[in-house]
């Protein structure tokens, strides 16, 4: 059975667990340390724990940090249910009426007043950064915050895509033109049901270090990381595809962010409309990887772009690997075509990529001792 934590919340440009599982099983052994420096929804770290490896994950985005930490540091279901009961009993609808009425137009169309009232209360009450339990409640809210109205009743919003949050003016126009009205949802009831459903597969356990920062700062933390890092499985932001801050603005709002989309607040490197800046970023990525990865470590990179051919992507990725300052070789590569992008259904022509490449690199193969050691060399 698929682990129920994987689908807690979708993430744009996420990879499926089969991708992480395949490489973890091919390249590592139980107890090894697996890193994902761009963790997104936390699939690498979750799979690593489920496969008895240790995990390190890092991301600049609050949504990514919240999801990855919740999946890898989950509270017990009984604790989670208790917390939901306490939260529900502390909720007084009348206290939130003024805040609901003062909310920007987008929120009045996006959510039924009663749903918005409960969301505003949870947003102010949850200590998602400091409490594991509140972190899981927040992750469950993020997973239900927006999505399709027709397919299931588990989303709080008016009609929206699940993966990205559409922009306020566009969304309001979309709802007005189609006369779509936000459904009334019992947020607490829905969260309890989601919690029970997600915990039908036992939560992953084991050592996980989840970092909320720019991956280029990993080099400053090598002392505190469980090392050596044996393997990295990752997909950096894609060239000219999405902005993880702007396109997740509603989830970021729930976690305490502004009531409108932003760019460059969390990271200036989230979208790279210029190829030069992008490849400078990828060179920086390799520089950091060169400093943190263990001897003969493996690195698997999934990369996509709308504007660069797979051949050129691969060429530039391999060329930039020399910035690691280490001997690094491309062992294997695959190209896959993407179909059925979810955002197409809502915003035809949105920036998605059509092709992705997977490249498997290994450090220090050139430094291998090639002769069979004799008893003399072993002494
Ligand atoms: C393609 S997504 C990763 C998706 C992930 N593999 C998954 O399955 O959900 C790229 C991620 O890199 C993060 N990111 C962008 N710049 C970063 C940086 N300098 N350091 C760490 N994370 C960064 C973005 O926030 C985004 O979550």
């Amino acid at each position: 059975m698929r682990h129920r934590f994987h689908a807690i919340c979708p993430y744009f440009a996420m990879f499926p667990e089969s991708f992480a599982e395949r490489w973890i099983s091919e390249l590592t052994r139980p107890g090894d340390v697996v890193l994902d420096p761009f963790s997104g929804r936390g699939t690498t770290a979750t799979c690593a724990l489920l496969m008895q490896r240790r995990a390190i994950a890092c991301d600049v985005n609050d949504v990514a940090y919240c999801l990855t930490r919740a999946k890898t540091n989950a509270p017990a279901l009984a604790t989670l249910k208790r917390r939901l009961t306490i939260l529900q009993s502390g909720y007084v609808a009348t206290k939130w009426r003024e805040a609901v009425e003062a909310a920007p137009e987008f929120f009045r169309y996006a959510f039924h007043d009663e749903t918005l009232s409960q969301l505003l209360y949870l947003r102010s009450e949850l200590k998602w950064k400091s409490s594991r339990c509140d972190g899981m409640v927040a992750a469950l809210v993020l997973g239900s915050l927006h999505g399709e109205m027709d397919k299931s009743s588990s989303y709080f919003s008016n009609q929206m895509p699940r993966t990205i949050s559409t922009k306020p003016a566009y969304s309001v126009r979309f709802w007005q033109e189609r006369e779509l009205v936000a459904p009334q949802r019992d947020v607490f009831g829905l969260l309890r049901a989601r919690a029970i459903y997600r915990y039908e597969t036992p939560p992953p356990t084991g050592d996980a270090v989840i970092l909320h920062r720019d991956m280029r700062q990993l080099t400053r933390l090598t002392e505190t990381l469980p090392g050596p890092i044996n393997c990295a499985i990752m997909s950096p932001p894609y060239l000219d595809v999405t902005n993880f801050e702007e396109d997740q603005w509603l989830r970021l709002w729930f976690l305490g962010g502004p009531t409108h989309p932003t760019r460059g607040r969390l990271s200036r490197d989230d979208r790279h409309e210029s190829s030069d800046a992008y490849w400078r970023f990828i060179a920086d990525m390799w520089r950091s990887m060169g400093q943190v990865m263990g001897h003969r470590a493996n690195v698997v990179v999934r990369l996509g772009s709308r504007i660069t051919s797979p051949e050129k992507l691969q060429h530039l990725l391999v060329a930039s690997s020399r910035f690691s300052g280490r001997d690094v070789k491309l062992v294997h590569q695959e190209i896959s075509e993407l179909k059925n992008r979810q955002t197409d259904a809502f915003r035809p022509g949105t920036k998605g990529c059509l092709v992705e490449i997977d490249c498997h690199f290994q450090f220090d193969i050139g430094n291998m001792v090639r002769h069979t050691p004799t008893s003399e060399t072993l002494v």
Side-chain angles (χ1 to χ4, degrees), residues 11 14-15 37-38 40-41 59-61 214-215 235 237 244 270:
Y11 202 86
M14 61 195 173
F15 46 56
F38 303 98
R41 65 175 178 152
D59 204 295
V60 277
N61 193 295
D214 191 310
M215 63 81 65
S235 88
F244 291 95
D270 213 12

Side-chain angles (χ1 to χ4, degrees), residues 50-109:
L50 290 170
M51 296 168 79
Q52 290 72 52
R53 277 67 169 172
R54 291 175 288 161
I56 305 173
C58 176
D59 204 295
V60 277
N61 193 295
D62 293 7
V63 173
Y65 174 67
C66 176
L67 296 176
T68 306
R69 212 191 40 154
K71 289 174 175 182
T72 55
N73 288 273
L77 179 59
T79 315
L80 183 57
K81 281 177 165 170
R82 258 198 313 277
R83 179 67 178 136
L84 285 170
T85 305
I86 292 169
L87 284 165
Q88 184 163 16
S89 58
Y91 170 67
V92 181
T94 46
K95 278 198 192 167
W96 295 93
R97 199 164 293 147
E98 224 173 284
V100 168
E101 279 161 17
E105 185 187 36
F106 166 87
F107 291 86
R108 306 301 302 278
Y109 276 97

Side-chain angles (χ1 to χ4, degrees), residues 106-164:
F106 166 87
F107 291 86
R108 306 301 302 278
Y109 276 97
F111 304 106
H112 184 281
D113 280 359
E114 181 48 35
T115 314
L116 181 58
S117 172
Q118 294 178 21
L119 288 173
L120 286 169
Y121 161 74
L122 285 174
R123 180 175 182 267
S124 85
E125 203 63 21
L126 292 175
K127 308 282 175 281
W128 68 269
K129 278 190 188 168
S130 55
S131 148
R132 273 166 86 189
C133 195
D134 282 12
M136 178 56 87
V137 177
L140 294 173
V141 173
L142 296 183
S144 284
L145 195 58
H146 53 85
E148 300 89 337
M149 279 205 298
D150 49 345
K151 271 197 183 163
S152 101
S153 59
S154 61
Y155 298 108
F156 302 140
S157 73
N158 204 332
Q159 180 79 356
M160 269 183 98
R162 263 168 296 155
T163 313
I164 59 161

Side-chain angles (χ1 to χ4, degrees), residues 9-16 19 36-44 58-64 67-68 71 211 213-217 233-238 242 244-245 248 266-272 281 302:
C9 182
Y11 202 86
F12 197 81
M14 61 195 173
F15 46 56
F19 174 78
D36 187 343
F38 303 98
S39 75
R41 65 175 178 152
T43 302
T44 304
C58 176
D59 204 295
V60 277
N61 193 295
D62 293 7
V63 173
L67 296 176
T68 306
K71 289 174 175 182
L211 302 163
R213 62 178 68 223
D214 191 310
M215 63 81 65
R216 289 166 294 179
Q217 295 166 1
I233 298 170
M234 58 162 143
S235 88
Y238 293 0
T242 190
F244 291 95
E245 184 176 325
Q248 297 192 78
L266 303 175
S267 163
R268 298 196 58 75
D269 294 305
D270 213 12
R271 173 153 62 184
H272 310 271
F281 172 67
R302 171 166 281 192

